[in-house]
Amino acid sequence: MSHSKNTTGIGPVRAAMRKITTPFDEMRDWWGRAPGWVRWTVYGLVIVAALLAPSDSVGAFMSPESDWATILFYPIGVFVLLAIGLNVVVGQAGLLDLGFVAFFAIGGYVMAVIGTELGWNFWEIIVVAVLISSLSGIILGAPTLRLRGDYLAIVTLGFGEIVRLVAQNTDAIGGPRGINSIPHPPDMSDIEIIPDLQPFTYGVIDPRPYYYLLVALCVLVIIFARRLEKSRVGRAWAAIREDEDAAEIMGVPTFRFKLLAFAIGAAIGGATGTVFAAKMISIVPNNFPFILSATILAAVVLGGSGNLPGVILGAFLVGWLPERFRGFEDYRVLLFGGVLVLMMIVRPQGLLPSRQRSAEFAEGSGMGGMGAEVATPTAKAEVSSR
Amino acid sequence: MSDVTGGRALLALDQITMRFGGVVAIDGLDLEVRQGEIFALIGPNGAGKTTVFNLVTGVYQPTAGRVAFDGRKINGMKRFSVTKRGIARTFQNIRLFHNMSALENVLVGADAHHRTGFIGAGLGLPWHRREEREGRALARELLDFVGIGHRTEEWAKNLPYGDQRRLEIARALATKPKLLLLDEPAAGMNPAEKRSLQQLIRRICDAGTTVLLIEHDMGLVMEISDRVAVLDFGQKIAEGRPAEVQNNPAVIEAYLGAPADAS
């Protein structure tokens, strides 16, 4: 297949890339057949690795130039959780959302406003933030989810900007200066697990407790998302992605399920925003630029839209690589863009795509494979000809 | 053929007209499908047969007229609600969920009557597990029923053509329809496949599902149907038992053109 395309000059790159990615595919297939105890062992190891990650010896390699634990919280941890949320919308339901940062911002501002004005504590606020952000997802989705493909992308893009601009121009929430002295979560316990590490004490200096909070949220959200994926809900999303009209005729209330995907994605985005605001002490509207929506989308697509391990890997790389190569200064964003372009050429389905998604990708063309319902040259026929 | 002419009307189209811009696709159509029968809708290409299917399943809303199912008006209802009320269909050009397994395809149909939302599924609550179990059992049973029980885990797109047609029928049956609409189910099948399809349709009917069929294969239509209606240019030009319709001069004209001396 690649031989015919060698004339474009990327043939060798493609071949090299295949060498790198074939093990990924083999790993995925092995994983698909692996028995339960193997899976649970791997899950356990991954969680242990995540808990041990913020140590100096790991950090010496991962980010020699800045504080590793800080980077693990933001961007890496925040990106991972946001990407898991966006994956529900883009990867599962196949809706292209270009304004996902809006929900992150809404969660952050809910934390900031309620925390500073009403003095509620973090655990109460996160519940409210999840409700408000999912409600805002429904409010955005109700009129717009009737649109398909590129129209939906444009409207969500606009929504992301509107939220940021409203925050910037509303003096009651600080305008461009944002909100300061957001309270930290209350300490759950001052237990010291190893010297110098109190994982449940949320202070100003140590980012690790916040990182652990993100890890815990990630685990919860992953379990929830996996269960949805394997249930009626996930099947309905997959059916909508494959053929929305046929799905509706088979009894799937497609609009309701798309709205549900939007609300769940928004809730996860909002929860992330709450943790982010509580850690950062102060937030400003410019914490939530469009480029963040684009970056999270890049993470989802790069990793393998629709496949949780892939999405997590993608978010990790997108969060980590620019930090690791800070030495390149101004060129790192350029390099990052170059890597993304290269990926889209040689491995458009992402590093670790799900089998179903790669098949859809091979079938469709362009954006269709990415999950968006953009019209393709081989546009699907009407429900059927007269 | 069994005599069901006395049966209760299950589906009734009352003076249905469908216009697409200036084109009148269906013109004042009256049609009645009775409980328990196999009813065939035939006619030349472009006569409006599939449009009738689209009107019944809520894909199109009629320009004028009324569609009643089981005594209640269904035009204006959402497509998924029509399915829930008991009408399922297959498609002329197969529209399976290609990158899902045969079993999952049927499960999507079975889900039409499931109630689990994201809370039940996300928390893994007991009734969700029960629904999942029952859905899987039903799906396996239906795949056996249509004769592809050995291919549950294969992706829909990897199935041979005839099996894809069968899978579409299984997916439609999973919604537990009272009325099954089959849009050219025998298209592209060889004679042996057609014979076994004919038996399958007979078994579906015997199991209590009324069948409304669009088919071009006259041998199949004449052998299996209790009643036949003929459409031409959106109008019903004949209706009755297969033998009556077969000899109707208007039908012969629609299919073969008017004899030269008639013009």
Side-chain angles (χ1 to χ4, degrees):
Chain A
M1 223 168 51
S2 66
H3 304 291
S4 58
K5 293 191 176 170
N6 276 356
T7 45
T8 54
I10 52 167
V13 182
R14 198 185 287 266
M17 197 64 193
R18 180 158 310 138
K19 252 185 204 136
I20 300 171
T21 53
T22 310
F24 282 131
D25 292 338
E26 282 168 2
M27 208 163 74
R28 182 194 59 210
D29 292 341
W30 168 80
W31 181 249
R33 291 188 304 267
W37 67 269
V38 174
R39 286 167 181 248
W40 285 107
T41 315
V42 173
Y43 293 144
L45 289 175
V46 168
I47 292 174
V48 169
L51 293 181
L52 295 179
S55 69
D56 292 338
S57 47
V58 180
F61 169 74
M62 298 300 278
S63 82
E65 288 161 62
S66 32
D67 179 39
W68 173 233
T70 305
I71 288 168
L72 268 179
F73 176 81
Y74 186 92
I76 295 175
V78 166
F79 278 18
V80 167
L81 194 50
L82 284 177
I84 295 170
L86 184 60
N87 181 51
V88 173
V89 182
V90 175
Q92 306 266 59
L95 305 164
L96 186 53
D97 184 349
L98 290 180
F100 193 64
V101 72
F103 306 116
F104 182 51
I106 288 169
Y109 268 93
V110 168
M111 175 70 211
V113 170
I114 300 183
T116 53
E117 301 289 327
L118 304 178
W120 294 15
N121 84 41
F122 173 81
W123 301 106
E124 296 159 349
I125 298 172
I126 194 168
V127 175
V128 177
V130 162
L131 291 177
I132 291 180
S133 47
S134 55
L135 189 68
S136 66
I138 291 170
I139 291 170
L140 169 66
T144 55
L145 285 175
R146 296 171 205 282
L147 304 173
R148 290 192 183 184
D150 24 16
Y151 298 102
L152 179 66
I154 291 166
V155 174
T156 52
L157 173 71
F159 180 71
E161 284 300 277
I162 287 169
V163 167
R164 187 175 61 84
L165 290 173
V166 165
Q168 196 142 19
N169 292 304
T170 308
D171 291 333
I173 53 172
R177 276 169 293 112
I179 298 178
N180 296 316
S181 51
I182 302 164
H184 291 303
D187 299 345
M188 288 195 285
S189 134
D190 51 8
I191 187 171
E192 201 170 286
I193 293 203
I194 51 172
D196 198 32
L197 171 62
Q198 297 170 303
F200 303 108
T201 308
Y202 301 96
V204 183
I205 299 166
D206 192 354
R208 288 175 296 180
Y210 298 97
Y211 166 73
Y212 290 132
L213 192 56
L214 280 184
V215 172
L217 271 177
C218 276
V219 171
L220 285 179
V221 168
I222 289 169
I223 292 172
F224 189 71
R226 278 295 294 169
R227 283 187 162 162
L228 287 186
E229 198 182 331
K230 288 191 289 185
S231 75
R232 171 192 184 214
V233 179
R235 276 193 300 274
W237 285 335
I240 291 169
R241 238 163 46 211
E242 293 248 337
D243 187 337
E244 188 165 344
D245 293 315
E248 174 121 5
I249 291 170
M250 288 305 132
V252 178
T254 53
F255 178 69
R256 220 177 290 164
F257 274 103
K258 289 196 286 184
L259 203 55
L260 177 66
F262 241 59
I264 291 174
I268 298 170
T272 319
T274 319
V275 181
F276 177 75
K279 156 79 168 63
M280 301 306 273
I281 303 173
S282 82
I283 55 170
V284 295
N286 282 336
N287 287 140
F288 313 103
F290 164 69
I291 189 70
L292 192 54
S293 294
T295 308
I296 303 303
L297 183 65
V300 170
V301 175
L302 174 80
S305 177
N307 190 34
L308 272 175
V311 165
I312 294 166
L313 177 69
F316 176 84
L317 291 177
V318 167
W320 171 61
L321 284 177
E323 297 295 333
R324 177 67 182 80
F325 298 106
R326 271 196 177 273
F328 291 92
E329 291 293 334
D330 295 343
Y331 293 104
R332 65 200 177 104
V333 179
L334 181 68
L335 283 173
F336 176 63
V339 169
L340 283 184
V341 170
L342 195 66
M343 273 295 298
M344 288 302 102
I345 294 171
V346 298
R347 178 96 174 163
Q349 68 272 44
L351 288 172
L352 277 177
S354 71
R355 283 190 54 185
Q356 185 179 354
R357 288 307 236 131
S358 11
E360 282 168 26
F361 203 92
E363 261 170 28
S365 58
M367 306 282 276
M370 207 172 77
E373 304 155 2
V374 177
T376 61
T378 52
K380 283 181 181 155
E382 260 292 295
V383 165
S384 43
S385 55
R386 180 158 64 88
Chain B
M1 296 300 111
S2 56
D3 191 338
V4 289
T5 40
R8 185 172 67 92
L10 185 62
L11 177 75
L13 274 63
D14 184 14
Q15 282 297 307
I16 289 289
T17 296
M18 183 74 215
R19 281 196 200 92
F20 296 103
V23 182
V24 183
I26 299 289
D27 190 4
L29 178 67
D30 286 317
L31 200 68
E32 193 177 276
V33 180
R34 294 167 195 160
Q35 180 94 49
E37 71 179 342
I38 297 179
F39 189 103
L41 199 56
I42 63 171
N45 286 325
K49 305 182 294 292
T50 298
T51 304
V52 170
F53 271 27
N54 284 338
L55 285 164
V56 171
T57 51
V59 175
Y60 300 149
Q61 296 305 332
T63 316
R66 183 171 188 271
V67 184
F69 178 69
D70 223 359
R72 286 169 68 174
K73 178 179 158 225
I74 56 165
N75 53 300
M77 279 173 83
K78 296 244 188 251
R79 288 176 280 182
F80 62 86
S81 316
V82 172
T83 309
K84 245 177 143 171
R85 291 199 62 85
I87 301 181
R89 72 176 282 184
T90 64
F91 298 92
Q92 193 176 332
N93 42 342
I94 300 174
R95 293 186 70 167
L96 289 165
F97 308 121
H98 293 289
N99 299 309
M100 294 165 78
S101 72
L103 186 76
E104 284 170 326
N105 268 275
V106 184
L107 277 172
V108 170
D111 284 336
H113 294 285
H114 287 174
R115 306 187 153 277
T116 307
F118 76 103
I119 296 176
L123 302 180
L125 298 178
W127 69 76
H128 162 241
R129 287 159 192 265
R130 203 188 61 229
E131 267 187 6
E132 247 344 71
R133 243 191 343 264
E134 289 170 356
R136 269 164 209 279
L138 174 69
R140 289 226 162 75
E141 199 180 299
L142 285 171
L143 286 169
D144 280 336
F145 180 77
V146 301
I148 50 171
H150 54 296
R151 317 199 92 132
T152 42
E153 295 307 324
E154 275 180 63
W155 280 12
K157 69 171 174 194
N158 294 339
L159 294 178
Y161 179 80
D163 287 353
Q164 292 194 8
R165 288 246 174 243
R166 285 163 183 276
L167 178 55
E168 261 208 326
I169 294 175
R171 183 179 67 174
L173 286 175
T175 66
K176 298 180 181 155
K178 294 179 190 141
L179 174 68
L180 177 64
L181 313 186
L182 300 173
D183 199 342
E184 295 193 28
M189 286 188 168
N190 64 35
E193 285 173 325
K194 276 181 187 166
R195 267 195 303 281
S196 85
L197 175 75
Q198 189 174 332
Q199 286 162 5
L200 176 61
I201 296 174
R202 177 49 62 198
R203 279 191 292 141
I204 290 169
C205 183
D206 290 345
T209 307
T210 307
V211 176
L212 172 57
L213 174 77
I214 293 176
E215 188 48 66
H216 279 302
D217 186 293
M218 283 309 131
L220 184 87
V221 167
M222 293 306 154
E223 274 185 48
I224 202 172
S225 333
D226 297 306
R227 292 193 306 139
V228 179
V230 188
L231 282 192
D232 192 26
F233 292 111
Q235 286 177 320
K236 186 165 72 180
I237 57 170
E239 184 176 353
R241 291 165 183 285
E244 296 163 15
V245 167
Q246 214 164 5
N247 298 319
N248 186 317
V251 177
I252 296 167
E253 190 186 313
Y255 271 91
L256 302 176
D261 58 17
S263 56

Short mmCIF file of all heavy atoms in Angstrom, two decimals, chain A residues 166-188:
data_model
loop_
_atom_site.label_atom_id
_atom_site.label_comp_id
_atom_site.label_asym_id
_atom_site.label_seq_id
_atom_site.Cartn_x
_atom_site.Cartn_y
_atom_site.Cartn_z
N VAL A 166 -16.27 36.33 27.85
CA VAL A 166 -17.21 36.75 28.89
C VAL A 166 -16.46 36.91 30.21
O VAL A 166 -16.62 37.90 30.93
CB VAL A 166 -18.37 35.76 29.03
CG1 VAL A 166 -19.13 35.99 30.33
CG2 VAL A 166 -19.31 35.87 27.84
N ALA A 167 -15.59 35.94 30.51
CA ALA A 167 -14.81 36.03 31.75
C ALA A 167 -13.93 37.27 31.73
O ALA A 167 -13.79 37.98 32.73
CB ALA A 167 -13.95 34.77 31.92
N GLN A 168 -13.36 37.56 30.58
CA GLN A 168 -12.47 38.70 30.45
C GLN A 168 -13.19 40.03 30.64
O GLN A 168 -12.62 40.99 31.13
CB GLN A 168 -11.84 38.66 29.06
CG GLN A 168 -10.62 39.53 28.90
CD GLN A 168 -9.57 38.84 28.03
OE1 GLN A 168 -9.87 37.93 27.29
NE2 GLN A 168 -8.35 39.27 28.15
N ASN A 169 -14.45 40.06 30.26
CA ASN A 169 -15.17 41.33 30.26
C ASN A 169 -16.19 41.47 31.38
O ASN A 169 -16.98 42.39 31.39
CB ASN A 169 -15.87 41.53 28.91
CG ASN A 169 -14.86 41.74 27.80
OD1 ASN A 169 -14.02 42.64 27.88
ND2 ASN A 169 -14.89 40.88 26.81
N THR A 170 -16.21 40.52 32.29
CA THR A 170 -17.13 40.61 33.42
C THR A 170 -16.34 41.01 34.66
O THR A 170 -15.54 40.23 35.19
CB THR A 170 -17.84 39.26 33.65
OG1 THR A 170 -18.41 38.84 32.41
CG2 THR A 170 -18.94 39.41 34.69
N ASP A 171 -16.57 42.22 35.11
CA ASP A 171 -15.79 42.72 36.24
C ASP A 171 -16.10 41.95 37.52
O ASP A 171 -15.25 41.81 38.40
CB ASP A 171 -16.06 44.21 36.44
CG ASP A 171 -15.45 45.02 35.29
OD1 ASP A 171 -14.47 44.52 34.70
OD2 ASP A 171 -15.97 46.10 34.97
N ALA A 172 -17.33 41.46 37.62
CA ALA A 172 -17.73 40.76 38.83
C ALA A 172 -16.85 39.53 39.09
O ALA A 172 -16.69 39.11 40.25
CB ALA A 172 -19.20 40.33 38.73
N ILE A 173 -16.30 38.94 38.03
CA ILE A 173 -15.37 37.82 38.25
C ILE A 173 -13.95 38.22 37.87
O ILE A 173 -13.15 37.42 37.40
CB ILE A 173 -15.81 36.55 37.49
CG1 ILE A 173 -16.05 36.85 36.00
CG2 ILE A 173 -17.06 35.96 38.12
CD1 ILE A 173 -16.29 35.59 35.18
N GLY A 174 -13.65 39.48 38.09
CA GLY A 174 -12.27 39.91 38.00
C GLY A 174 -11.79 40.39 36.64
O GLY A 174 -10.66 40.86 36.52
N GLY A 175 -12.63 40.26 35.62
CA GLY A 175 -12.21 40.71 34.29
C GLY A 175 -10.91 40.06 33.89
O GLY A 175 -10.67 38.89 34.22
N PRO A 176 -10.04 40.79 33.20
CA PRO A 176 -8.80 40.18 32.72
C PRO A 176 -7.84 39.79 33.85
O PRO A 176 -6.94 39.01 33.65
CB PRO A 176 -8.18 41.27 31.83
CG PRO A 176 -8.88 42.53 32.20
CD PRO A 176 -10.22 42.16 32.72
N ARG A 177 -8.05 40.36 35.06
CA ARG A 177 -7.15 40.02 36.17
C ARG A 177 -7.54 38.73 36.87
O ARG A 177 -6.81 38.22 37.70
CB ARG A 177 -7.10 41.17 37.17
CG ARG A 177 -6.08 42.25 36.77
CD ARG A 177 -6.25 43.47 37.62
NE ARG A 177 -7.53 44.13 37.36
CZ ARG A 177 -8.54 44.20 38.20
NH1 ARG A 177 -8.43 43.71 39.39
NH2 ARG A 177 -9.66 44.78 37.87
N GLY A 178 -8.72 38.21 36.53
CA GLY A 178 -9.13 36.92 37.07
C GLY A 178 -9.46 36.96 38.55
O GLY A 178 -9.80 38.01 39.11
N ILE A 179 -9.35 35.84 39.20
CA ILE A 179 -9.71 35.70 40.61
C ILE A 179 -8.50 35.19 41.39
O ILE A 179 -7.82 34.26 40.96
CB ILE A 179 -10.90 34.75 40.78
CG1 ILE A 179 -12.13 35.33 40.05
CG2 ILE A 179 -11.22 34.51 42.25
CD1 ILE A 179 -13.35 34.45 40.13
N ASN A 180 -8.24 35.84 42.53
CA ASN A 180 -7.10 35.46 43.35
C ASN A 180 -7.53 34.75 44.62
O ASN A 180 -8.69 34.75 44.98
CB ASN A 180 -6.29 36.71 43.74
CG ASN A 180 -5.72 37.36 42.49
OD1 ASN A 180 -5.19 36.68 41.62
ND2 ASN A 180 -5.86 38.67 42.42
N SER A 181 -6.54 34.24 45.29
CA SER A 181 -6.68 33.56 46.59
C SER A 181 -7.85 32.58 46.64
O SER A 181 -8.70 32.63 47.50
CB SER A 181 -6.76 34.57 47.74
OG SER A 181 -7.74 35.55 47.49
N ILE A 182 -7.83 31.69 45.66
CA ILE A 182 -8.79 30.58 45.66
C ILE A 182 -8.34 29.60 46.74
O ILE A 182 -7.15 29.28 46.83
CB ILE A 182 -8.79 29.88 44.28
CG1 ILE A 182 -9.13 30.90 43.19
CG2 ILE A 182 -9.76 28.71 44.27
CD1 ILE A 182 -8.80 30.42 41.79
N PRO A 183 -9.27 29.14 47.58
CA PRO A 183 -8.85 28.26 48.68
C PRO A 183 -8.37 26.89 48.19
O PRO A 183 -8.84 26.38 47.18
CB PRO A 183 -10.12 28.13 49.52
CG PRO A 183 -11.23 28.41 48.57
CD PRO A 183 -10.71 29.41 47.59
N HIS A 184 -7.45 26.31 48.91
CA HIS A 184 -7.02 24.94 48.65
C HIS A 184 -8.05 23.97 49.20
O HIS A 184 -8.84 24.32 50.07
CB HIS A 184 -5.68 24.67 49.35
CG HIS A 184 -4.55 25.42 48.74
ND1 HIS A 184 -4.22 25.30 47.42
CD2 HIS A 184 -3.67 26.29 49.28
CE1 HIS A 184 -3.18 26.07 47.16
NE2 HIS A 184 -2.83 26.71 48.27
N PRO A 185 -8.02 22.73 48.73
CA PRO A 185 -8.88 21.74 49.37
C PRO A 185 -8.49 21.57 50.84
O PRO A 185 -7.31 21.75 51.17
CB PRO A 185 -8.58 20.45 48.59
CG PRO A 185 -7.97 20.90 47.31
CD PRO A 185 -7.26 22.19 47.62
N PRO A 186 -9.42 21.27 51.71
CA PRO A 186 -9.07 21.03 53.12
C PRO A 186 -8.21 19.78 53.22
O PRO A 186 -8.36 18.84 52.44
CB PRO A 186 -10.43 20.82 53.80
CG PRO A 186 -11.35 20.40 52.71
CD PRO A 186 -10.85 21.04 51.46
N ASP A 187 -7.28 19.79 54.18
CA ASP A 187 -6.43 18.61 54.36
C ASP A 187 -7.27 17.44 54.82
O ASP A 187 -8.10 17.57 55.72
CB ASP A 187 -5.35 18.90 55.42
CG ASP A 187 -4.46 20.06 54.97
OD1 ASP A 187 -4.52 20.40 53.77
OD2 ASP A 187 -3.75 20.59 55.83
N MET A 188 -7.05 16.29 54.17
CA MET A 188 -7.82 15.12 54.58
C MET A 188 -7.14 14.42 55.73
O MET A 188 -7.74 13.78 56.55
CB MET A 188 -7.99 14.17 53.40
CG MET A 188 -8.95 14.72 52.36
SD MET A 188 -9.47 13.48 51.23
CE MET A 188 -8.04 13.33 50.23
#
